[in-house]
Amino acid sequence: MDYNILIGGSAGQGMDTLAAILERVLKRKGFQIFTVRDYMSRVRGGHNFIQVRFGNEELTSHRKSVDGIIALNDETIRLHMEDLSENGFVICDEEISFADERVIRLPLKTEAKASGNVKAMGSTALGTVLKLFDLDMSCVEDVLKLIFARQDIATQNMGALKRGFELLDSRYSIEPADSDGSILISGNEAIALGALAAGCKFYSAYPMTPSTSIMNYLATKMAEAEVVVEQAEDEISAINMAIGASYAGARSMTGTSGGGFALMVEGLGLSAMLEVPLVIAEIQRPSPTTGFPTRTEQADLKFVINASQGEFPRMVIAPRNPEDAFYQTVRAFNLADNYQIPVILLGDQYLADSTTTTRPFDFDRVKIERYLSNDDFAGDREYKRYELTPDGISPRIIPGKVPGKTVLVDSDEHDEWGHITESAEVRKAMNDKRMRKLEYLKKELQEPDFLGDGDFETLFVAWGSLHGPVKEALKLLNKTGEKKYAALVFGDVWPLPEKLLLEKAGKAKAVINIEQNATGQLASLIRECTGIKCDGSILKYDGRPICAEFIIENIKLILTQKQLFLEQDE
Amino acid sequence: MGEYRFCTSETAWCPGCGDHNILEALREALERTGKQPHEVLVVGGIGQAAKTPQYINTNGFCGLHGRAVPPAFAAKVANRDLTVIIDSGDGDTYGEGGNHFIHNIRRNADIKHFVHDNQIYGLTKGQASPTTDLGHITEVQPFGTVNEPMNPLVLALSLGAGFVARAFSGDKDHLVSVMLEAINYKGYALVDILQPCVSFNKINTFQWYSKRVYKLDEAYDSSDKRAAFEKAAEWGERIPIGVIYKAEKPTYHDKIEFLREGPPLVDRPVNMDKIKGLMEDFK
């Protein structure tokens, strides 16, 4: 059982703070949370909303229908009334009028003013919501102290919230689950924490929504975690810096969105050619060009797989949720060091900004593997940066750390010592050496997550952040219908793991790709790699995230049309 | 070559190119620092000058065109024990890499920037560079360059650089002394090194520079910023060489508290308990 609360208003009205208070209070009361943020690319005005969904079972995505609305302006009511459930409610100030019996007009402003701060009217509304759901005031004070740095403001909000609590009677009831010490975290925060756990010491980036929160988080932990965060003059500098720091031995990372990644492309090739490990977080937003800066899309898959001139090995991992993002970020650093390649973490705004309750990360699972050979070269053994080896991986030493040994790297084609060459034989040997790493890398691939019913007829394929929505859709579809559904959700997307796909697709009556883009890029990649052609697509590219309801509506449509088509055919 | 620690190897430069002397001067300056080759990193971008890391026995990083500065900066941040020297050309530094040149000065990391400035593009065969004088005829500028040349020294001064110098490849001993002073300076040091391009610059030749350059004498006060602006701007019949401006400034490492003391970043272990503790923020 779960409820879905929407908080809406214009930018600058403090929705972020309200949502942060609400989700934290609910989390501390033991509920599972999934919060999705829908905001415009502006600092003031416009219409923004956040949906806080809470319940006593696992929540893996947001949903469209809402049970309660906190409307900080009348536009919120107009825009979201159609999604409100029949016995839902709207809380708004008495100044707003709207003809619908579900709308509860209250003296929010007046009560907030009486608490000493009219800006605390949102907290008054939160108080009413807690009361409506028959929840008590425990944890509220602690959360307010955490959210508001200034004690006087925390006190004012506490007063406003208490006043709100007295305005209404309880209406609904829901038992919390045991939260079991879970954490409430967004995808970008999980990536940043994963980077710190992996021993990232240098992060250079240029701010770009929706990737910036990775940099923000790391910057607040600079001294504590001893990580240098440098705001570069542009993305070209950002990636070249990260490569320089990595060359000198510090685990390094950069992050951006599609537009910034476009500028980084030459640097991507540099990391591969120099064989300097690098982790890049590419957090997608609708594109091309500026696109929808604050919204979500998965349309950079083929771009990141193919970016840069020339041919070289790279790895692309699409984290599926915050928990996955944490472990995959650690893995990305280890893979980058092992194979001396660029590894791209391909996220999106939905993953980046949505917060969800998840099991605390298990730091015993975190292993930092550097694959350095400093000690092997302490003696007389000659050091060749690009020594030809059976697996293509040359021993790596850190410049300055082995007396008598120097490290020469070059973006020109080079020989084993790193010297420029024009030799046809050396060129071929070096190209083969680099590409050989890809063959070994393929042995480390993680197969996609298999979800749903083993006795399926329809197989969905999806990737990255759609894991949660697909999981919820399967739960709903398999609960009712006779024909069962399953899904493969890819985390490793390049190189594409094929084993489980071939096995499951072979059994499926229909394979349907679900993607947050217009052309079905995963389907295209699957066809390229395996010859499997998807039988239908569920695609969304309006910048708004796919939810379970959308998948269910569309799969029914597709299967109905298919049925009609078959009948006509006969 | 056995007697040198920093031995140099055969180059692909034209006979008579100023790069030869600059490489020799770099070698000599490094010998005099007492450093070992593994303690030095030479970084280049792309271009004839940018091939320098290929020809000297140090750690070397030949990166992308225009992008020598960002990796050099970051390598120094990662390991401040490395002596980091950028050797690249005027096109690489002031043209393709102009943005990095500007913003790196603001960072003031302790790295040295030796720009081989021959006022022309060598690798791509003779097009105008950002420092090419007005009216210079090339294949791409058949009616003469119409864009004003930039003055990197004035620009660096205006951005607050703490060490700004000019040298001439034709006066090797002087060049060595300027390089050495730059290496010993704590902070970002720019040395713009005038050099002839025997193949593609038939105007600013060895003789052209030789006739014009003069050394700043002992009476010159390199701590006087106003005088420095004047000397930096002096171009034409007479061109001053030497240390134009030098002042102490906090370096990048000085400005970041946790980098100021303790071991280089690269040697710092990961405090896993501390990182694990960060999860408390999310409870």
Side-chain angles (χ1 to χ4, degrees):
Chain A
M1 180 182 195
D2 66 86
Y3 289 109
N4 195 20
I5 309 293
L6 183 145
I7 305 172
S10 58
Q13 281 194 307
M15 262 93 60
D16 259 327
T17 311
L18 280 185
I21 297 168
L22 182 61
E23 61 175 2
R24 290 241 177 185
V25 167
L26 292 170
K27 186 220 157 265
R28 289 186 180 201
K29 287 183 182 298
F31 291 106
Q32 298 288 313
I33 310 287
F34 192 100
T35 304
V36 65
R37 290 167 171 80
D38 188 298
Y39 59 104
M40 296 171 88
S41 181
R42 54 194 287 177
V43 180
R44 288 279 184 275
H47 176 67
N48 291 358
F49 66 94
I50 301 174
Q51 291 180 46
V52 180
R53 188 178 176 192
F54 67 102
N56 46 27
E57 285 164 32
E58 183 193 39
L59 293 176
T60 60
S61 64
H62 66 298
R63 66 170 154 92
K64 192 165 181 285
S65 58
V66 295
D67 306 297
I69 295 174
I70 297 175
L72 299 177
N73 59 13
D74 54 355
E75 193 185 12
T76 301
I77 307 180
R78 277 192 285 109
L79 288 170
H80 298 285
M81 212 57 188
E82 61 170 359
D83 294 328
L84 187 67
S85 58
E86 266 177 39
N87 61 343
F89 65 87
V90 178
I91 300 285
C92 63
D93 189 67
E94 57 195 353
E95 283 177 5
I96 295 173
S97 57
F98 195 90
D100 190 301
E101 58 188 20
R102 291 170 295 178
V103 176
I104 309 170
R105 296 163 61 225
L106 295 168
L108 298 178
K109 272 187 192 163
T110 315
E111 294 290 340
K113 212 181 268 176
S115 317
N117 186 352
V118 71
K119 284 187 193 159
M121 67 174 277
S123 291
T124 311
L126 288 184
T128 66
V129 170
L130 290 181
K131 186 64 166 291
L132 281 172
F133 287 98
D134 199 21
L135 298 166
D136 60 30
M137 292 288 283
S138 66
C139 343
V140 173
E141 197 157 5
D142 288 347
V143 169
L144 290 176
K145 276 185 193 160
L146 188 85
I147 302 271
F148 295 106
R150 274 177 55 184
Q151 183 55 43
D152 55 333
I153 294 180
T155 308
Q156 288 161 352
N157 277 276
M158 187 66 200
L161 210 142
K162 273 184 185 162
R163 283 170 181 272
F165 197 79
E166 301 304 330
L167 289 176
L168 293 173
D169 292 324
S170 297
R171 252 195 219 183
Y172 314 91
S173 97
I174 177 168
E175 282 299 309
D178 184 10
S179 74
D180 198 21
S182 67
I183 55 171
L184 180 65
I185 194 165
S186 71
N188 273 4
E189 287 165 339
I191 288 173
L193 199 55
L196 293 180
C200 178
K201 290 286 170 196
F202 187 88
Y203 187 89
S204 45
Y206 187 88
M208 184 168 188
T209 307
S211 70
T212 314
S213 50
I214 299 174
M215 177 158 62
N216 290 348
Y217 180 79
L218 292 174
T220 62
K221 305 298 172 200
M222 254 178 101
E224 214 172 324
E226 297 187 302
V227 55
V228 170
V229 177
E230 181 64 19
Q231 184 183 321
E233 55 272 20
D234 55 34
E235 287 86 350
I236 297 172
S237 179
I239 192 168
N240 280 278
M241 278 183 187
I243 293 169
S246 178
Y247 163 81
R251 277 200 157 173
S252 305
M253 180 172 173
T254 182
T256 186
S257 189
F261 186 77
L263 293 182
M264 289 186 180
V265 165
E266 197 184 14
L268 178 78
L270 183 70
S271 157
M273 187 66 160
L274 301 187
E275 303 192 52
V276 170
L278 178 67
V279 176
I280 307 164
E282 207 270 61
I283 312 299
Q284 302 159 97
R285 68 194 216 188
S287 296
T289 63
T290 314
F292 261 163
T294 59
R295 304 197 182 277
T296 201
E297 196 161 270
Q298 295 185 306
D300 297 351
L301 177 63
K302 289 192 136 188
F303 174 43
V304 301
I305 288 173
N306 295 297
S308 176
Q309 72 274 36
E311 298 159 309
F312 55 83
R314 78 190 80 189
M315 171 102 188
V316 183
I317 305 170
R320 289 165 283 206
N321 51 50
E323 187 181 27
D324 190 41
F326 175 81
Y327 296 112
Q328 292 298 349
T329 303
V330 175
R331 179 170 168 250
F333 276 95
N334 287 338
L335 287 169
D337 268 1
N338 190 1
Y339 294 93
Q340 302 171 22
I341 53 167
V343 178
I344 298 160
L345 291 164
L346 188 58
D348 53 43
Q349 186 266 335
Y350 185 57
L351 172 83
D353 291 337
S354 300
T355 44
T356 178
T357 38
T358 188
R359 276 173 298 190
F361 304 140
D362 180 3
F363 276 68
D364 292 338
R365 275 176 64 190
V366 173
K367 298 272 181 292
I368 298 178
E369 290 157 338
R370 296 299 314 267
Y371 305 98
L372 295 175
S373 305
N374 289 0
D375 297 342
D376 301 341
F377 291 89
D380 290 339
R381 183 172 164 197
E382 185 185 20
Y383 182 67
K384 295 187 277 187
R385 174 67 275 261
Y386 300 108
E387 189 179 323
L388 295 169
T389 58
D391 57 10
I393 302 168
S394 311
R396 178 173 172 230
I397 68 171
I398 299 305
K401 293 296 172 191
V402 186
K405 305 292 155 69
T406 55
V407 182
L408 176 63
V409 295
D410 201 305
S411 70
D412 279 88
E413 190 57 274
H414 40 254
D415 61 19
E416 288 185 273
W417 291 266
H419 281 118
I420 296 177
T421 183
E422 298 279 349
S423 154
E425 290 78 21
V426 175
R427 158 69 184 176
K428 185 169 181 306
M430 281 295 154
N431 214 48
D432 288 346
K433 162 192 142 56
R434 289 188 291 268
M435 294 311 285
R436 226 162 29 239
K437 297 194 289 186
L438 188 63
E439 294 312 308
Y440 283 85
L441 177 65
K442 281 181 183 168
K443 295 179 184 165
E444 301 223 27
L445 292 180
Q446 293 178 353
E447 292 295 326
D449 241 15
F450 179 76
L451 303 170
D453 197 305
D455 199 19
F456 62 92
E457 282 192 7
T458 303
L459 179 71
F460 295 126
V461 289
W463 58 283
S465 70
L466 283 188
H467 187 269
V470 168
K471 193 173 182 183
E472 180 164 354
L474 288 172
K475 221 189 285 178
L476 296 169
L477 284 167
N478 286 338
K479 198 161 30 179
T480 51
E482 273 178 28
K483 292 183 176 168
K484 300 296 182 190
Y485 297 82
L488 289 173
V489 185
F490 289 80
D492 287 4
V493 281
W494 185 261
L496 188 76
E498 297 171 12
K499 207 177 122 223
L500 204 57
L501 175 66
L502 289 169
E503 183 193 319
K504 300 292 181 191
K507 290 184 197 161
K509 283 204 174 147
V511 180
I512 310 286
N513 62 307
I514 308 175
E515 300 184 59
Q516 195 91 41
N517 60 48
T519 54
Q521 297 190 17
L522 176 68
S524 161
L525 186 66
I526 286 174
R527 194 171 184 191
E528 179 188 326
C529 296
T530 65
I532 295 168
K533 186 175 181 294
C534 289
D535 303 291
S537 298
I538 297 176
L539 304 172
K540 196 170 197 293
Y541 44 91
D542 58 1
R544 276 67 177 175
I546 288 176
C547 59
E549 292 129 306
F550 180 83
I551 295 170
I552 295 166
E553 268 169 39
N554 280 277
I555 189 62
K556 287 187 173 157
L557 209 64
I558 289 173
L559 294 180
T560 316
Q561 281 167 351
K562 264 198 175 325
Q563 197 55 42
L564 287 175
F565 180 75
L566 286 176
E567 281 164 10
Q568 281 172 359
D569 214 29
E570 283 160 14
Chain B
M1 294 235 216
E3 74 257 42
Y4 300 131
R5 294 192 307 281
F6 294 90
C7 49
T8 51
S9 51
E10 195 191 326
T11 74
W13 292 324
C14 309
C17 173
D19 281 335
H20 296 288
N21 256 6
I22 299 174
L23 177 64
E24 264 308 293
L26 176 66
R27 187 195 57 69
E28 218 171 302
L30 286 174
E31 296 288 348
R32 287 207 220 161
T33 60
K35 296 265 175 199
Q36 296 295 322
H38 74 276
E39 298 171 304
V40 178
L41 167 63
V42 181
V43 181
I46 293 294
Q48 292 296 2
K51 289 178 185 167
T52 304
Q54 286 282 322
Y55 305 138
I56 188 157
N57 174 34
T58 62
N59 293 297
F61 187 108
C62 295
L64 297 174
H65 188 39
R67 320 300 169 202
V69 173
F73 158 77
K76 183 72 186 180
V77 172
N79 185 357
R80 66 147 173 256
D81 290 347
L82 287 173
T83 296
V84 179
I85 296 167
I86 304 165
D87 255 84
S88 228
D90 44 325
D92 194 66
T93 305
Y94 306 138
E96 188 99 10
N99 202 26
H100 315 310
F101 172 66
I102 288 172
H103 294 283
N104 185 60
I105 291 173
R106 298 170 48 226
R107 294 187 176 100
N108 197 33
D110 187 12
I111 59 178
K112 317 302 149 190
H113 202 166
F114 300 160
V115 184
H116 305 213
D117 186 356
N118 56 13
Q119 301 185 261
I120 205 79
Y121 277 28
L123 189 74
T124 53
K125 305 195 175 184
Q127 303 81 10
S129 95
T131 51
T132 302
D133 286 326
L134 277 175
H136 192 131
I137 291 170
T138 79
E139 270 184 36
V140 180
Q141 288 81 21
F143 307 109
T145 318
V146 294
N147 296 342
E148 295 276 347
M150 80 180 251
N151 185 322
L153 303 185
V154 172
L155 178 59
L157 281 171
S158 72
L159 289 163
F163 188 106
V164 175
R166 173 163 269 157
F168 171 45
S169 68
D171 189 341
K172 201 181 87 185
D173 291 344
H174 180 258
L175 175 58
V176 171
S177 72
V178 173
M179 281 180 167
L180 207 53
E181 199 171 337
I183 292 170
N184 291 329
Y185 172 76
K186 249 178 80 62
Y188 172 80
L190 173 68
V191 184
D192 184 74
I193 307 164
L194 302 172
Q195 63 154 126
C197 172
V198 291
S199 297
F200 299 110
N201 191 336
K202 305 294 185 191
I203 294 171
N204 311 101
T205 59
F206 179 82
Q207 288 76 14
W208 190 93
Y209 288 122
S210 295
K211 236 193 279 173
R212 288 165 172 79
V213 298
Y214 72 95
K215 286 177 211 161
L216 292 168
D217 58 24
E218 306 238 318
Y220 177 74
D221 177 7
S222 64
S223 69
D224 181 345
K225 198 155 185 181
R226 193 182 285 263
F229 269 110
E230 247 173 60
K231 283 295 165 197
E234 196 175 325
W235 185 264
E237 288 313 303
R238 276 168 65 75
I239 304 170
I241 56 172
V243 178
I244 288 173
Y245 183 68
K246 187 176 171 184
E248 270 187 40
K249 295 184 64 157
T251 66
Y252 185 84
H253 281 80
D254 294 333
K255 291 184 280 186
I256 294 176
E257 206 181 335
F258 74 94
L259 288 180
R260 211 176 296 152
E261 308 286 336
L265 197 58
V266 64
D267 293 335
R268 298 191 189 195
V270 182
N271 186 337
M272 206 56 101
D273 286 338
K274 221 181 212 177
I275 309 292
K276 191 176 171 185
L278 297 176
M279 265 198 308
E280 290 303 314
D281 298 347
F282 301 101
K283 283 190 172 160

